[in-house]
């Protein structure tokens, strides 16, 4: 049976996205949807439908510009080359592919198309007849205004067989297809021949669905057009007059000039289009002020970040050695995917894998280098081999070139904007010289230090994070999810603590010890910026492996005071059964006793803590 895949790029479509998806899946086998940094609940609704089991593939586009042609052509290639599509239908979220002629299903019409050339599909404009009534119902259940004459615009429908034979690109909006050819030094586009209009198919184009949604579209649209072009942009012929009306408080209805009374007729949708019920209409409400404020906030942040980008600061990413995760291909891919996305926001000058010369580390290096190529990172990627006697600090000081240092290990995924946001914070707050630590799950213990957070996106808070404060945090028995990966460090800070050399013991990196050495080693630069904005995503399955948690508990216990030890350590170890501990003790603790002992001496940990820890073996 032929496979139909639709491709879409969406932004701030919460009011219509569920109706769009549920209708489209009446004829499509899969939908590939790329979210373009939506500020509303668009992405949340998509993820909820995906969790239902709907065949939705969600991608993200994090660059601010509206690169619709670039994204659409990438999705087209994915649909055909990776998803095995026989037909690809590019759609916007306000476009509903329907048959207005008779009752033949849309799917059957598509599957009868035989030409290898692409097809055109007519546009026909629709509006809700009663925009303020039944707004929480499936859009195609509601009476509509239908424009009597179809619009002149068209969209394409792509048979995969012809595209595979001779690929082409879709223009912005997917209105037609072109191939590019060289003419001397110039690159010219040649329009690709078309098979004509697909029979019976029409795109019901809902240019607006409610007054607030339309006003938000005009207001935010004009703000973005001004930011990306100028306020004199000819692209804003429709947006600017409506924006001015909203600003003056003169626009209470979005439908004041969409269709003249003689241009439309009433349209009542028929079964089976009206069978779909909405489950997430409570997430689809439009808040005009919220949308405009979020757009303004995003543009203000982009302005500040662009000022920092102009400085040309470089970030070096260092992949840390890990006993448990660095050969796991899934976890490596997760980390590389985050680096690839972050590179769009801030220049990554190099990615350096630290590994020893042991045989298993050589295999690890080969896997990292191979997978880096899949994410287009091979030109930045290199490995540094260390033997057991090498000094990490001296080598890194000579080898690493970046102005800022980001540490990662397999399974840690930094968000697309982590690097640029943190570099911008450093550059804009030079008097504090903070290490910006994103700590997920801030606990009540931190309230004693004067930290209070409300809402989802918590702003930066500066804290004198000394040894005692670190011990208070450690005392709650929870790890820093993301660990040292949650911070971005200045190069001079790394030089002042000898690149965490004291935290590397016989090839193993001790993250908590590194943090402690940083807090205690920067002396007059000990202000730390805390935020619970989610800039680091941790593969929890990997982090919760018993092997890793036992290591974390060992290190944590070594850093705590006697007072915390007496009252707190037993409940942490008690989380594991005696059988579980016994199974791991010889493979983890036993061979590493000398390492633990050495680490204890490096950090001034009392000998009785070591003796207590060793007693677990008994």
């Amino acid at each position: 049976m032929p496979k139909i895949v639709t491709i879409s790029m969406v932004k701030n479509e919460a009011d219509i996205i569920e109706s769009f998806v549920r209708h489209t899946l009446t004829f499509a086998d899969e939908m590939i949807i790329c979210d373009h940094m939506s500020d509303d609940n668009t992405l949340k609704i998509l993820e909820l439908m995906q969790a239902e089991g709907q065949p939705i593939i969600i991608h993200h586009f994090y660059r601010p510009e509206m690169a619709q042609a670039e994204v659409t052509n990438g999705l087209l290639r994915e649909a055909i080359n990776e998803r095995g599509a026989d037909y690809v239908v590019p759609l916007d979220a306000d476009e509903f592919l329907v048959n207005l002629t008779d009752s033949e299903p849309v799917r059957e019409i598509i599957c009868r198309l035989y030409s290898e050339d692409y097809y055109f599909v007519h546009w026909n404009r629709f509006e809700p007849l009663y925009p303020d009534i039944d707004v929480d119902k499936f859009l195609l259940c509601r009476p509509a205004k239908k424009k009597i004459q179809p619009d002149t615009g068209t969209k394409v429908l792509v048979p995969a067989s012809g595209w595979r034979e001779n690929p082409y690109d879709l223009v912005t909006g997917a209105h037609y297809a072109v191939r590019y050819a060289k003419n001397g030094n110039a690159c010219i586009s040649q329009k690709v021949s078309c098979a004509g209009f697909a029979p019976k198919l029409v795109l019901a184009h809902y240019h607006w669905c409610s007054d607030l949604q339309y006003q938000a579209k005009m207001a935010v649209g004009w703000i973005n057009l001004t930011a990306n072009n100028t306020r004199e942009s000819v692209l804003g012929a429709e947006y600017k007059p409506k924006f001015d009306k909203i600003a003056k408080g003169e626009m209470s209805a979005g439908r004041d000039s969409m269709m003249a009374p003689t241009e439309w007729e009433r349209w009542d949708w028929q079964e089976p289009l009206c069978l779909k019920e909405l489950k997430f209409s409570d997430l689809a409400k439009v808040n005009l002020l919220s949308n405009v404020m979020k757009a303004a906030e995003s543009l203000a942040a982009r302005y500040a970040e662009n000022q920092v980008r102009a400085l040309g600061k470089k970030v070096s990413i260092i992949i840390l050695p890990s006993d448990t995760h660095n050969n796991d291909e899934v976890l490596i891919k997760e980390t590389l995917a985050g680096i690839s996305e972050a590179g769009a926001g801030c220049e990554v000058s190099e990615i350096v894998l630290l590994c020893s010369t042991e045989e298993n580390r050589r295999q690890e290096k080969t896997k990292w280098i191979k997978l880096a190529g899949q994410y287009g990172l091979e030109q930045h990627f290199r490995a540094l081999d260390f033997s057991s006697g090498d000094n990490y600090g001296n080598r890194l000081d000579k080898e690493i070139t970046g102005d800022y240092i980001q540490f990662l290990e397999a399974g840690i995924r930094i968000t697309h904007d982590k690097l640029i946001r943190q570099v911008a914070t450093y550059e804009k707050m030079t008097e504090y010289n903070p290490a910006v630590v994103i700590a997920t799950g801030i606990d009540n213990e931190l309230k004693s230090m004067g930290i209070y957070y409300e809402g989802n996106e918590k702003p930066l808070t500066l804290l004198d994070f000394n040894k005692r404060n670190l011990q208070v945090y450690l005392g709650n028995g929870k790890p820093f999810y993301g660990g040292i990966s949650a911070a971005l460090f200045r190069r001079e800070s790394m030089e002042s603590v000898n690149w965490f050399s004291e935290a590397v013991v016989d090839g193993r990196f001790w993250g908590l010890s590194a943090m402690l050495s940083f807090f205690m080693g920067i002396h007059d630069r000990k202000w730390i910026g805390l935020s619970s904005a989610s800039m680091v995503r941790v593969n929890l399955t990997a982090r919760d492996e018993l092997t890793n948690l036992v290591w974390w508990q060992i290190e944590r216990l070594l850093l705590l005071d006697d007072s915390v030890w007496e009252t707190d350590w037993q409940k942490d170890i008690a989380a594991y059964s005696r059988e579980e501990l016994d199974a791991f003790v010889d493979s983890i603790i036993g061979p590493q006793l000398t390492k633990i002992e050495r680490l204890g001496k490096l950090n001034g940990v009392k000998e009785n803590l070591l003796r207590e820890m060793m007693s677990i073996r008994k």
Side-chain angles (χ1 to χ4, degrees):
M1 180 178 292
K3 182 175 183 178
I4 301 173
V5 178
T6 65
I7 56 176
S8 306
M9 185 178 185
V10 302
K11 182 180 178 69
N12 292 345
E13 305 283 2
D15 62 309
I16 200 172
I17 193 69
E18 186 177 2
S19 288
F20 167 67
V21 169
R22 296 197 186 281
H23 168 72
T24 301
L25 288 176
T26 62
F27 64 84
D29 297 289
E30 286 181 341
M31 299 180 70
I32 308 177
I33 301 176
C34 181
D35 179 74
H36 184 201
M37 302 170 69
S38 290
D39 296 315
D40 61 7
N41 286 319
T42 299
L43 182 57
K44 185 173 184 179
I45 294 172
L46 286 172
E47 290 172 341
L48 286 169
M49 287 191 287
Q50 188 182 57
E52 285 181 355
Q54 303 292 349
I56 307 169
I57 301 159
I58 302 173
H59 294 313
H60 305 273
F61 185 71
Y62 293 118
R63 301 208 312 261
E65 68 270 21
M66 184 63 176
Q68 189 179 44
E70 175 187 342
V71 172
T72 299
N73 284 299
L75 299 182
L76 175 64
R77 290 188 289 271
E78 177 183 343
I80 295 175
N81 295 333
E82 300 178 30
R83 312 305 303 179
D86 296 293
Y87 298 94
V88 181
V89 187
L91 294 171
D92 293 338
D94 56 7
E95 296 171 342
F96 295 76
L97 190 61
V98 295
N99 172 13
L100 302 181
T101 305
D102 54 38
S103 59
E104 184 178 12
V106 168
R107 181 178 180 83
E108 293 183 11
I109 297 173
I110 294 176
C111 291
R112 284 195 290 104
L113 300 176
Y114 59 86
S115 175
E116 293 192 348
D117 295 328
Y118 69 88
Y119 290 83
F120 282 136
V121 179
H122 279 295
W123 256 352
N124 212 136
R125 183 167 297 193
F126 283 75
E127 299 173 3
L129 183 61
Y130 309 112
D132 301 319
I133 299 176
D134 294 332
V135 294
D136 58 346
K137 288 188 176 180
F138 178 56
L139 186 59
L140 301 191
C141 285
R142 299 164 59 188
K145 293 179 181 180
K146 171 184 171 292
K147 194 173 182 181
I148 297 172
Q149 295 297 324
D151 292 333
T152 56
T154 59
K155 293 286 286 270
V156 306
L157 190 155
V158 179
S161 57
W163 187 93
R164 287 193 184 97
E165 186 69 25
N166 194 359
Y168 46 79
D169 288 330
L170 305 180
V171 299
T172 298
H175 301 304
Y176 58 91
V178 297
R179 290 191 183 94
Y180 295 99
K182 282 282 188 180
N183 183 5
N185 294 326
C187 185
I188 61 173
S189 63
Q190 299 174 333
K191 198 169 182 179
V192 178
S193 62
C194 173
F197 284 92
K200 301 182 183 179
L201 295 181
V202 171
L203 280 175
H205 179 209
Y206 275 82
H207 188 65
W208 66 278
C209 298
S210 69
D211 293 340
L212 278 176
Q213 177 264 339
Y214 183 73
Q215 290 182 48
K217 181 176 182 178
M218 294 296 104
V220 175
W222 177 246
I223 290 172
N224 283 318
L225 275 172
T226 302
N228 291 322
N229 299 281
T230 72
R231 71 177 65 193
E232 308 302 329
S233 172
V234 296
L235 301 174
E238 177 184 4
Y239 289 85
K240 175 60 173 170
K242 302 293 172 43
F243 180 89
D244 288 342
K245 275 191 172 185
I246 296 169
K248 294 175 182 178
E250 297 175 355
M251 186 173 178
S252 59
R255 54 187 181 275
D256 57 355
S257 62
M258 296 306 297
M259 286 194 281
T262 57
E263 289 184 318
W264 62 271
E265 60 184 354
R266 176 175 173 136
W267 186 266
D268 292 296
W269 294 99
Q270 303 298 316
E271 302 283 357
L273 293 179
C274 304
L275 295 178
K276 300 296 175 185
E277 294 184 3
L278 301 185
K279 296 183 179 180
F280 311 115
S281 57
D282 58 322
L283 299 174
K285 295 178 175 62
V286 177
N287 185 320
L288 174 60
L289 180 60
S290 174
N291 284 10
V292 172
M293 290 180 69
K294 287 178 179 177
E297 181 186 37
S298 177
L299 289 170
R302 193 194 315 172
Y303 173 77
E305 290 163 4
N306 283 342
Q307 286 183 311
V308 172
R309 285 190 182 95
L311 300 176
K313 299 295 182 179
K314 307 291 186 183
V315 178
S316 294
I317 294 179
I318 299 178
I319 308 296
L320 296 170
S322 170
D323 285 347
T324 53
H325 306 314
N326 271 19
N327 273 316
D328 189 318
E329 187 167 313
V330 173
L331 300 184
I332 293 174
K333 286 183 175 180
E334 186 74 7
T335 298
L336 291 172
I339 296 173
S340 179
E341 292 173 354
C346 187
E347 185 167 355
V348 175
S349 61
E350 59 187 350
I351 307 162
V352 180
L353 173 68
L354 305 185
C355 52
S356 72
T357 54
E358 300 170 10
E359 176 61 29
N360 66 319
R361 294 306 192 198
R362 287 199 294 269
Q363 296 172 1
E364 166 193 314
K365 178 171 66 174
T366 300
K367 184 173 291 187
W368 273 93
I369 292 173
K370 176 184 176 182
L371 294 173
Q374 295 182 14
Y375 291 89
L377 299 172
E378 63 274 16
Q379 62 179 334
H380 300 297
F381 199 95
R382 61 192 173 96
L384 282 182
D385 293 327
F386 288 87
S387 63
S388 58
D390 283 344
N391 184 300
Y392 275 71
N394 291 343
R395 284 285 303 279
L396 294 178
D397 198 41
K398 295 176 182 177
E399 297 276 357
I400 302 302
T401 62
D403 302 291
Y404 293 95
I405 313 300
Q406 171 71 62
F407 293 94
L408 292 175
E409 62 178 306
I412 305 295
R413 183 181 183 129
I414 57 175
T415 60
H416 70 281
D417 56 351
K418 177 183 189 297
L419 299 182
I420 184 58
R421 287 176 65 177
Q422 292 190 334
V423 169
T425 301
Y426 275 112
E427 295 296 325
K428 295 287 185 179
M429 303 175 70
T430 55
E431 67 272 26
Y432 295 111
N433 192 25
V436 183
V437 179
I438 308 307
T440 59
I442 301 292
D443 297 290
N444 288 334
E445 282 85 352
L446 288 183
K447 289 185 178 179
S448 63
M449 304 178 206
I451 298 178
Y452 295 89
Y453 290 123
E454 295 179 357
N456 294 322
E457 184 75 7
K458 286 79 174 180
L460 180 72
T461 298
L462 289 171
L463 177 70
D464 184 0
F465 213 135
N466 53 34
K467 182 177 180 181
R468 177 57 189 160
N469 289 340
L470 176 64
Q471 290 168 336
V472 169
Y473 189 84
L474 293 178
N476 67 25
K478 297 178 182 178
F480 287 97
Y481 277 122
I484 200 168
S485 302
L488 187 77
F489 298 93
R490 291 183 185 274
R491 181 186 182 87
E492 54 264 35
S493 296
M494 289 296 91
E495 292 170 352
S496 70
V497 295
N498 196 24
W499 294 82
F500 296 142
S501 288
E502 289 189 351
V504 180
V505 181
D506 290 347
R508 182 179 177 88
F509 190 87
W510 294 72
L512 287 177
S513 299
M515 296 299 276
L516 180 62
S517 69
F518 178 76
F519 296 146
M520 302 307 295
I522 55 178
H523 305 298
D524 59 327
R525 297 184 304 231
K526 57 187 177 183
W527 285 97
I528 305 300
L530 280 183
S531 169
S532 59
S534 183
M535 292 189 194
V536 173
R537 298 169 188 160
V538 184
N539 187 310
L540 292 179
T541 301
R543 311 310 295 171
D544 288 342
E545 285 179 0
L546 183 57
T547 304
N548 194 70
L549 282 181
V550 169
W551 268 120
W552 188 88
Q553 292 292 357
I554 293 170
E555 185 180 19
R556 172 177 168 270
L557 293 172
L558 292 174
L559 298 178
L560 293 177
D561 285 341
D562 281 333
S563 58
V564 182
W565 167 267
E566 293 294 337
T567 60
D568 197 63
W569 79 274
Q570 293 175 340
K571 68 181 181 182
D572 299 318
I573 299 300
Y576 313 106
S577 68
R578 170 60 62 179
E579 290 76 16
E580 287 175 319
L581 284 174
D582 286 343
F584 280 91
V585 76
D586 287 328
S587 61
I588 299 174
I589 300 176
Q592 307 295 340
L593 285 180
T594 56
K595 298 180 185 180
I596 296 172
E597 200 166 42
R598 283 174 54 192
L599 185 68
K601 292 177 180 177
L602 286 171
N603 288 303
V605 180
K606 297 178 181 179
E607 288 297 321
N608 69 321
L609 294 184
L610 287 171
R611 288 195 296 272
E612 290 285 354
M613 196 65 228
M614 294 174 191
S615 70
I616 294 177
R617 293 179 57 106
K618 299 177 182 178

